[in-house]
Amino acid sequence: MREDEEAERYEGRRAEFPLSFGKQLKTQVPLQQLHSSTRRHNIPLPPPPLPPPIPSADDDSEEPIIGPPPPPMIGPPRPPQPTSSNLSDDDDDDDDDDDDDDDDEDEETRHRIPISNEIILKGHTKVVSALAVDHSGSRVLSGSYDYTVRMYDFQGMNSTLQSFRQIEPSEGHQVRSLSWSPTSDRFLCVTGSAQAKIYDRDGLTLGEFVKGDMYIRDLKQTKGHITGLTCGEWHPRDKETVLTSSEDGSLRVWDVNNFNTQKQVIKPKLARPGRTPVTTCAWDREGKRIAGAVGDGSIQIWSVKPGWGSRPDIYVQKAHSDDITAVKFSSDGRILVSRSCDDTMKVWDLRQMKDPLKVFDNLSNHYAQTNITFSPDEKLILTGTSVERESTTGGLLCFYDREKLELVSRVGVSPTYSVVQCAWHSRINQIFVTAGVKSQGETHVLYDPTLSDRGALVCVARAPRKKSVDDYQAQPVIHNPHALPLFRDQPSRKREREKILKDPVKSRKPEVPMTGPGHGGRTGTTQGSLLTQYLMKQGGMIKETWMDEDPREAILKFADVASKDPKYIAPAYADTQPKTVFANEDSDNEEDK
């Protein structure tokens, strides 16, 4: 009994101590579980692999059976497997139906579209209208109608998916275009203002292009754009050259080393004289041609060569019936794709631009920044659609086959948000899609763990750091010199002074003299401001009757009293005052008169 009690006491003491000492290893979450949390719900999961068939004892194969023999078959024998010789017509129809159902999956498998998983980069308060991914695929720029640009870094971002920097290029102007340099050390930011800006990789401002004089009519004589910009793109080969288009009806080529002058001014060909905005612009892959879309629906292409000017080499009048939002060259220089607000996307052959090769209809577009992009192998063409008011479908990302010129797939990005910008990065094999409405904006990153590399895979697997009890963060001390009494500006007392001036007592305003009768030596029409005067008047002791009397009669009624009982001046001169002698009126004098 005593030994049992000691054993129980020992076990109880041991339970109070940890089983091991030192740093404990954290439990690692498997990658498959992490990616399953980001899997898109509308993408069917692949079926599990079937187990290998168990060889039967009746097989005539010469391979020896390894292991114990299979158990004997219980129940009726299995039906014979159909062969190609004994298939019926009904079986052929069933196989055709199965093949039709698997066409979409075969297309996605053939083109290897990475859309199985998805992460969302949030932060904007309005629709995301601009997108740019650097050439390594590590940094993403997103611009919005909320006037800000957010910068995301996959290498330094964890699963919270927060941006590391937010900048406001031009206060009160929408961000319309973003473009990285060929070396990814700088990027171009185009807003609704007339001046584009250049930033370094970390978001610090390097310069701002000059603004032109709006009172000069000839656009070639101005130093820069005079109205809001619409689009901009960095040269694909030359890291010192950028291209911008504006609502003033011109395209300009700039040198990033000189922000005060432009290298070339391009004035598009117009059917009517005037200023028609240039809605978008683009370089080709080699930077030898420039495409611009004008507000009258025309597409114009210029070849960059010695002595080139504003006259376009290719001019397509009325290419679209509404504003063109994007134009895109293929890498081989054969195809040009255009997107417009007339809900169409057209594919053009650059060798014969008279008529489009194909017109894709019913692609709703409500934003002036809706773009087009190609897949890395340029076998697919991508574009987004906007959400209609009475439509049941949301924003879609559409994939079209470039060779067959037909629809390959539609991917529902959001049920309520419109898709504006899209990009398919070649190195990391991930698709970036921007979407949003008037009050919210976000960037979707589509990827496949088996097909994609780095990018979203890095940040999804990186969990956020847990806070420790030993963490300490000192509160920053803000030194504001204007907060000190010596440097503080005196508060404005304008309202207080105005209030005092309205008060006659505090402002010591003198009483304004008024015409009319008064009492007690005070003139005015107030009829006496003293309480005694007011009471005497109300009691009838003060009567104001002299206003109705004749002045001469009022004086003469005191003449008898003054002569009989003089008080002031008359007694002093009583002895010395000569007697008054008045002239008598004669009859002669009256006749003379």
Side-chain angles (χ1 to χ4, degrees), residues 237-303:
R237 301 295 182 184
D238 187 5
K239 65 178 182 179
E240 309 296 339
T241 305
V242 296
L243 172 68
T244 58
S245 61
S246 172
E247 297 173 353
D248 60 5
S250 67
L251 297 92
R252 297 176 190 264
V253 182
W254 302 83
D255 186 356
V256 297
N257 295 323
N258 187 1
F259 294 98
N260 295 325
T261 56
Q262 66 259 354
K263 296 171 62 175
Q264 181 73 23
V265 181
I266 305 173
K267 294 176 62 177
K269 180 180 179 181
L270 300 177
R272 297 179 179 179
R275 288 184 179 178
T276 306
V278 180
T279 57
T280 186
C281 60
W283 296 94
D284 68 344
R285 184 180 179 87
E286 300 297 330
K288 296 181 179 180
R289 284 184 291 186
I290 296 174
V294 190
D296 57 2
S298 64
I299 297 177
Q300 305 182 28
I301 300 176
W302 297 268
S303 297

Side-chain angles (χ1 to χ4, degrees), residues 76 90 141 170 201 211 233 323 335 386 389 495 521 541:
D90 296 338
L141 303 175
S170 183
R201 186 175 176 83
K211 182 179 180 181
E233 188 175 351
D323 289 344
I335 299 297
S386 301
R389 285 187 176 181
R495 293 184 179 179
M541 302 178 66

Side-chain angles (χ1 to χ4, degrees), residues 310-337:
S310 297
R311 185 173 183 178
D313 298 312
I314 299 176
Y315 175 71
V316 182
Q317 189 176 8
K318 296 182 180 180
H320 287 271
S321 59
D322 206 340
D323 289 344
I324 301 173
T325 61
V327 289
K328 183 73 174 179
F329 286 98
S330 62
S331 61
D332 55 6
R334 298 180 180 178
I335 299 297
L336 179 72
V337 187

Side-chain angles (χ1 to χ4, degrees), residues 118-124 128 130-131 140-143 152 432-435 441-445:
E118 177 186 32
I119 63 172
I120 301 177
L121 307 178
K122 298 183 178 181
H124 289 289
V128 181
L131 174 70
V140 182
L141 303 175
S142 64
Y152 300 89
F432 297 83
V433 182
T434 68
E442 57 192 21
T443 303
H444 297 248
V445 183

